[in-house]
């Protein structure tokens, strides 16, 4: 997921911190999700809780502290940034199962062929699952794997095997290709890399398409209804930020050039 990094405003920063830095991502619906934060706490908490250390000169002084981290909200962000109406769409590098080999029907040598493919793909370093549960309907199994967001599905059926091929389907865009058996491993490796690049590029393009450069608080409020707005912080200030908040909009971060990124958040 592409993120914007910057400082929080005084209104948005962590209570008790001197400065808060944040990573902000745009979800598929145009809203912002705070992905992680880092807080420079100064001596505020060490003074409150009596946390001291001995300096090099032997003097006792209050500690300078920081706090940072991310949480399981990143999993939610993954779902909301990339998911579609058919379920999850997982980036290959993060997917617990990268490739599922689906045995369509166990006949005419398809079972051993599917097992061999699964072994070869695993041997190439991919995370692979073999679905040989032919007692369940083919359609139900395909739907389940799409819901789970497995990046690549390989279907091994009697007709394809007779032709010396299998079907390779991408979850991110639904593209289906017939691939010769001896080219499957190389094809899947390339497909996973391409899907990874494509999903990141899609998320970057969506954020750029739904980010407007504006020059006033009123324009920022309007643009934030469908994405992000970039507006000079000098045009916002504390009073403008309060006006934005009253409309359900917040300053997500201040970029390095003191441009405020404004949007709706969860």
């Amino acid at each position: 997921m592409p993120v914007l990094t910057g400082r929080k405003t005084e209104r948005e920063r962590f209570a008790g911190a001197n400065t808060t830095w944040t990573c902000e991502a745009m979800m598929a619906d145009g809203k912002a999700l705070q992905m992680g934060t880092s807080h420079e706490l100064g001596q505020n908490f060490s003074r409150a809780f009596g946390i001291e250390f001995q300096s090099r000169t032997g003097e006792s002084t209050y500690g300078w502290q920081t706090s940072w981290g991310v949480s399981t909200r990143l999993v939610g962000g993954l779902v909301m940034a990339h998911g579609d109406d058919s379920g999850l769409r997982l980036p290959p590098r993060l997917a617990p199962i990268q490739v599922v080999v689906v045995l369509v029907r166990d006949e005419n040598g398809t079972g051993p062929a599917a097992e061999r493919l699964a072994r070869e793909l695993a041997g190439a370093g991919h995370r692979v699952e073999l679905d040989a549960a032919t007692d369940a309907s083919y359609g139900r199994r395909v739907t389940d794997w799409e819901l789970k967001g497995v990046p690549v599905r390989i279907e091994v059926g009697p007709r394809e095997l007779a032709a010396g091929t299998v079907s390779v389907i991408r979850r991110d865009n639904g593209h289906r290709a017939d691939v010769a058996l001896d080219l499957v491993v190389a094809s899947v490796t390339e497909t996973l890399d391409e899907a990874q690049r494509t999903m990141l590029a899609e998320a970057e393009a969506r954020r750029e398409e739904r980010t407007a450069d504006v020059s006033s608080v009123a324009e920022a409020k309007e643009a934030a209804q469908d994405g992000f707005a970039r507006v000079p912080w000098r045009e916002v200030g504390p009073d403008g930020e309060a006006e934005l908040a009253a409309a359900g909009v917040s300053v997500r971060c201040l970029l390095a050039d003191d441009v405020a990124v404004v949007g709706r958040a969860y």
Side-chain angles (χ1 to χ4, degrees):
M1 285 177 285
V3 297
L4 298 172
T5 58
R7 292 178 293 112
K8 286 291 191 182
T9 63
E10 183 176 353
R11 181 188 183 99
E12 292 289 328
R13 75 186 179 201
F14 180 70
N18 291 340
T19 307
T20 291
W21 289 270
T22 183
C23 297
E24 303 282 334
M26 180 186 286
M27 301 294 99
D29 62 358
K31 288 185 179 180
L33 184 68
Q34 180 178 287
M35 306 296 285
T37 50
S38 180
H39 312 290
E40 191 270 296
L41 305 176
Q43 293 179 310
N44 300 331
F45 285 85
S46 63
R47 290 182 182 276
F49 292 97
I51 303 171
E52 302 180 27
F53 71 99
Q54 190 176 63
S55 69
R56 291 180 179 177
T57 62
E59 297 176 308
S60 182
T61 186
Y62 290 109
W64 298 83
Q65 296 177 301
T66 60
S67 170
W68 64 92
V70 295
S71 72
T72 50
R73 71 170 55 200
L74 293 183
V75 178
L78 190 70
V79 175
M80 294 188 291
H82 295 300
D84 61 18
D85 289 343
S86 295
L88 299 178
R89 291 196 316 155
L90 299 180
R93 293 180 189 173
L94 296 177
I97 301 172
Q98 295 174 310
V99 187
V100 58
V101 179
V102 177
L103 179 60
V104 179
R105 293 198 305 275
D106 190 4
E107 57 185 58
N108 300 330
T110 54
E115 293 174 0
R116 183 170 61 254
L117 271 178
R119 288 196 301 269
E120 291 174 355
L121 289 162
H126 303 308
R127 297 184 287 277
V128 184
E129 181 86 7
L130 173 63
D131 178 357
T134 53
D135 54 330
S137 75
Y138 161 75
R140 178 69 261 174
R141 290 187 289 149
V142 166
T143 298
D144 285 346
W145 290 116
E146 288 183 342
L147 283 168
K148 293 175 181 178
V150 176
V152 172
R153 186 175 77 251
I154 299 175
E155 297 180 357
V156 183
R159 283 186 299 178
E160 293 85 355
L161 192 60
T165 65
V166 294
S167 295
V168 177
I169 302 96
R170 282 174 58 168
R171 175 64 183 88
D172 65 305
N173 62 11
H175 180 265
R176 175 186 291 265
D178 293 329
V179 179
L181 287 169
D182 59 345
L183 298 178
V184 170
V185 173
S187 177
V188 166
T189 300
E190 181 180 348
T191 298
L192 289 169
D193 288 341
E194 185 177 345
Q196 181 76 28
R197 292 191 298 269
T198 298
M199 293 181 71
L200 177 59
E202 285 178 355
E204 290 174 333
R206 178 179 63 238
R207 185 184 68 188
E208 191 59 30
E209 290 169 2
R210 298 177 73 169
T211 298
D213 289 303
V214 302
S215 57
S216 69
V217 171
E219 291 174 333
K221 281 194 293 186
E222 182 179 354
Q225 300 309 306
D226 190 50
F228 290 173
R230 285 186 295 247
V231 57
W233 173 241
R234 65 178 179 274
E235 301 297 332
V236 181
D239 291 341
E241 191 174 14
E243 182 180 341
L244 290 171
V249 177
S250 59
V251 176
R252 304 313 307 157
C253 65
L254 298 176
L255 303 178
D257 51 1
D258 268 351
V259 170
V261 176
V262 174
R264 294 180 302 148
Y266 293 94

